[in-house]
Amino acid sequence: MEGDCLSCMKYLMFLFNFFIFLGGACLLGLGIWVIVDPTGFREIVAANPLLFTGAYIMLAMGAMLFLLGFLGCCGAIRENKCLLLFFFMFILLIFLAELSAAILAFIFRENLTREFFTKELKKHYQRNNDTDVFSSTWNSVMITFACCGVNGPEDFEAIPHLPHSSLEKAPPEACCQRELQSREGMFVNKEGCLQGNERFQNRQGCYTVILNSFETYVYLAGALAIGVLAIELFAMIFAMCLFRGIQ
C-alpha cells in the first residue's frame, strides 16, 4: 500500500510540475512579447521604470519556472532526493517573490488611476516633440488605439502649442483620424482635424479604450497568477512528501 501511495505521489508531482512548466513557458512568452512588441508597448515599458522592471521580472520568473518545472518532472520520475530538495527550495523562493509582487501591485494600484495618468499627461506631454520619450510614447499609444488623451481631446487644451501657433485649442496630430492606425498611415483630413472639426478627430479617451481592450486579459492574467500560485503550493507539498517517502 505504501508503494502504491508513493507511486501515486510521484505521478501527481510530475503532473503539477508539468503545469508549472507550462505556466513558466506562458510567462516567458508574455515577457518577451511585452519587451519586443512593435505596437507601442515596448515604448511604454521603456518610458516607465516600474513597468520596465516588472517586464524583466516577469521574464526572469517565467524562465525560472520553465526550468524548475522541467527539473521537478525529472526529480519526480527519477525519485532523486537531491533534485527534489533543490526544486522545493527554489519553488519556495519563487512563491514568496510572486506573493510579494502581488502585494506590492495591490498597494500601488492607485498609480494606475485615470486621475494619475491625466496629471502626468498635462505635466509632461510636449505634443509633437518625438525627441521626448514621454511624448513619443503617448503619440504611439494614441495612434495605435485611435484614441486621444486620457479622457479625450479636452486634456490638451491647457498644454501649450508651439510659439506663434494659431491653433490654440487644437489636439495634437496623434489625435487625428488615420486610414491606417500607424505612424505611416495617411490622415483622413489633417487640416480639418487641427482646426477643430470633430468628424476627423479621435474623440474617445485612451484610458477607456485600453481598459476595454485589455479587461478580459487582465482577469485572465489574474486567474492565471492565482492558478500558478496554487499549483506551486501543491507542488511543494508533493515534493516534500515524495522526498520523505523515498528510501
Side-chain angles (χ1 to χ4, degrees):
M1 188 68 181
E2 185 178 343
D4 291 338
C5 183
L6 186 63
S7 178
C8 179
M9 194 71 67
K10 179 174 73 173
Y11 287 110
L12 282 174
M13 171 76 176
F14 177 85
L15 181 63
F16 275 108
N17 277 284
F18 180 70
F19 283 119
I20 289 174
F21 175 81
L22 290 181
C26 290
L27 282 177
L28 187 62
L30 185 61
I32 293 172
W33 176 72
V34 168
I35 291 171
V36 305
D37 179 68
T39 59
F41 294 103
R42 179 174 54 193
E43 295 178 3
I44 296 173
V45 170
N48 190 316
L50 188 62
L51 290 178
F52 182 81
T53 304
Y56 279 96
I57 288 175
M58 181 169 59
L59 195 64
M61 285 295 178
M64 289 182 68
L65 286 175
F66 182 86
L67 177 61
L68 287 175
F70 177 76
L71 292 176
C73 289
C74 293
I77 292 299
R78 298 181 61 183
E79 298 184 8
N80 187 310
K81 293 186 73 172
C82 182
L83 203 56
L84 286 172
L85 184 61
F86 173 81
F87 166 82
F88 175 84
M89 295 302 295
F90 271 87
I91 282 289
L92 179 61
L93 290 174
I94 292 174
F95 179 84
L96 293 175
E98 289 174 343
L99 199 59
S100 300
I103 293 171
L104 287 174
F106 179 79
I107 292 172
F108 292 105
R109 68 189 184 282
E110 64 271 10
N111 287 345
L112 298 177
T113 61
R114 185 189 296 268
E115 292 74 20
F116 172 80
F117 285 117
T118 303
K119 179 182 176 182
E120 290 295 302
L121 179 70
K122 291 182 177 180
K123 182 178 179 182
H124 300 291
Y125 186 69
Q126 300 177 20
R127 292 188 174 264
N128 300 323
N129 181 9
D130 282 338
T131 59
D132 176 65
V133 175
F134 184 89
S135 304
S136 176
T137 299
W138 262 105
N139 288 336
S140 294
V141 169
M142 291 190 291
I143 291 171
T144 301
F145 289 95
C147 56
C148 188
V150 179
N151 308 288
E154 63 274 11
D155 289 344
F156 299 102
E157 292 180 1
I159 297 176
H161 287 257
L162 294 173
H164 311 299
S165 173
S166 59
L167 305 172
E168 287 300 325
K169 292 188 177 181
E173 291 181 6
C175 288
C176 297
Q177 293 181 6
R178 297 171 184 250
E179 295 177 1
L180 180 65
Q181 298 307 317
S182 71
R183 287 183 178 270
E184 292 74 30
M186 297 291 293
F187 290 100
V188 175
N189 187 328
K190 181 179 176 180
E191 291 74 16
C193 168
L194 295 179
Q195 289 172 4
N197 192 328
E198 296 183 3
R199 290 173 50 204
F200 306 114
Q201 296 175 0
N202 296 315
R203 304 293 301 175
Q204 194 168 12
C206 293
Y207 190 89
T208 301
V209 171
I210 294 176
L211 196 64
N212 291 339
S213 300
F214 288 95
E215 186 176 13
T216 303
Y217 298 103
V218 168
Y219 288 122
L220 184 62
L224 179 62
I226 293 171
V228 167
L229 287 173
I231 289 170
E232 288 172 1
L233 185 60
F234 280 108
M236 286 189 290
I237 294 171
F238 286 129
M240 190 49 62
C241 291
L242 188 59
F243 177 85
R244 296 186 62 184
I246 295 173
Q247 301 299 324

